Amino acid sequence: MSNKKALIVESLSKSFGKHKVLSNLSFDLDKTQLLLVRGVSGSGKSTLLHIIAGLTKPNSGKIYIQGKFANNPQILIEPQERNVSLLFQDLALWPHMSAKEQLTLVAQNNRGLTTNLSKVIDETIKRVGFDSSLLNKYPSELSGGEQQRLAIARAIISKPKLLLLDEPFVALDKDNRGKIITLIKELKDEGTSIIIVSHELTNIDLKADKEVHL
């Protein structure tokens, strides 16, 4: 197993009842590479990210993450142990927790941080353009763009080795899209491997190293 590979997917298949969404899919991703997943609605793009994150079990196939056997297809490495973060398409923000509580929980659980939390949170929200005055607000009190930026901050605060972004540019205006594009480039330069599902990359200054078509 090459130590240069952040991810290896071998012969991956997934069906929901009689509906097959992924069929014998294989690809790999080197460390620090950016991969774009394309496909029509319902082609299995989000399902693929959920399988890589360990949230959904495939019907067949194997997955290696950072050289470790993660699925065979049984889940061998639990989601919290994969060093993978997922930005959900529907954001999946916790409605009963403030922005600060959400970021604190992820930082403590995934990075084991008990000190300098405020500094880490401040640095993270600055990178995504989330205003510190919003930290005590709940998701229902935030606009769509603010929710999107909070969800991205929550995904990156644990400094994952592999970052999965499902439609990261939805609900963002031009200025904030620019900030997230800059962030993605910076994370890549810092050593993060990134997979993006997006319908909006054609007019965005972001070049993928690889593409997978579903």
Side-chain angles (χ1 to χ4, degrees):
M1 188 62 52
S2 173
N3 60 8
K4 294 183 179 180
K5 300 297 181 185
L7 175 71
I8 299 175
V9 173
E10 293 182 353
S11 304
L12 195 70
S13 295
K14 178 63 180 177
S15 298
F16 294 100
K18 295 182 179 180
H19 178 54
K20 181 169 284 190
V21 292
L22 298 172
S23 180
N24 201 35
L25 177 66
S26 297
F27 66 90
D28 61 55
L29 183 66
D30 288 347
K31 293 178 180 178
T32 77
Q33 281 191 324
L34 171 64
L35 182 143
L36 173 63
V37 180
R38 295 186 183 273
V40 300
S41 179
S43 61
K45 301 184 298 298
S46 295
T47 298
L48 173 62
L49 298 189
H50 290 185
I51 291 173
I52 294 170
L55 303 175
T56 298
K57 185 175 73 174
N59 295 106
S60 61
K62 297 178 181 178
I63 296 176
Y64 299 85
I65 298 175
Q66 308 296 333
K68 296 180 180 179
F69 202 8
N71 288 74
N72 73 337
Q74 299 295 324
I75 293 174
L76 302 178
I77 300 178
E78 294 300 320
Q80 66 273 17
E81 298 172 356
R82 294 188 177 211
N83 206 354
V84 173
S85 283
L86 170 62
L87 171 71
F88 292 86
Q89 186 172 354
D90 64 359
L91 306 184
L93 294 170
W94 301 307
H96 62 291
M97 299 178 71
S98 69
K100 184 175 183 178
E101 289 170 336
Q102 304 207 29
L103 296 172
T104 298
L105 180 63
V106 174
Q108 288 178 328
N109 286 354
N110 293 1
R111 288 180 63 181
L113 291 176
T114 56
T115 58
N116 296 323
L117 269 173
S118 293
K119 180 181 179 182
V120 171
I121 290 172
D122 287 344
E123 290 173 347
T124 302
I125 62 173
K126 184 177 180 180
R127 297 189 80 174
V128 303
F130 187 84
D131 197 284
S132 60
S133 65
L134 302 174
L135 280 172
N136 291 321
K137 292 188 178 295
Y138 292 86
S140 62
E141 300 174 303
L142 301 174
S143 69
E146 290 165 351
Q147 290 180 10
Q148 185 82 6
R149 296 196 296 279
L150 171 59
I152 294 171
R154 192 180 64 175
I156 69 169
I157 197 168
S158 60
K159 294 192 173 181
K161 292 288 187 182
L162 178 59
L163 179 62
L164 312 176
L165 300 174
D166 198 345
E167 299 292 353
F169 305 111
V170 172
L172 297 181
D173 59 25
K174 183 178 180 180
D175 288 343
N176 283 304
R177 283 188 184 190
K179 290 178 181 178
I180 300 306
I181 291 168
T182 298
L183 170 65
I184 290 170
K185 292 177 179 178
E186 290 174 350
L187 291 172
K188 187 173 179 290
D189 289 342
E190 292 166 11
T192 306
S193 306
I194 303 169
I195 299 178
I196 297 179
V197 166
S198 178
H199 296 92
E200 304 186 46
L201 282 188
T202 53
N203 297 316
I204 288 178
D205 180 25
L206 193 60
K207 181 176 175 57
D209 298 295
K210 291 184 175 181
E211 291 193 12
V212 170
H213 294 261
L214 302 181

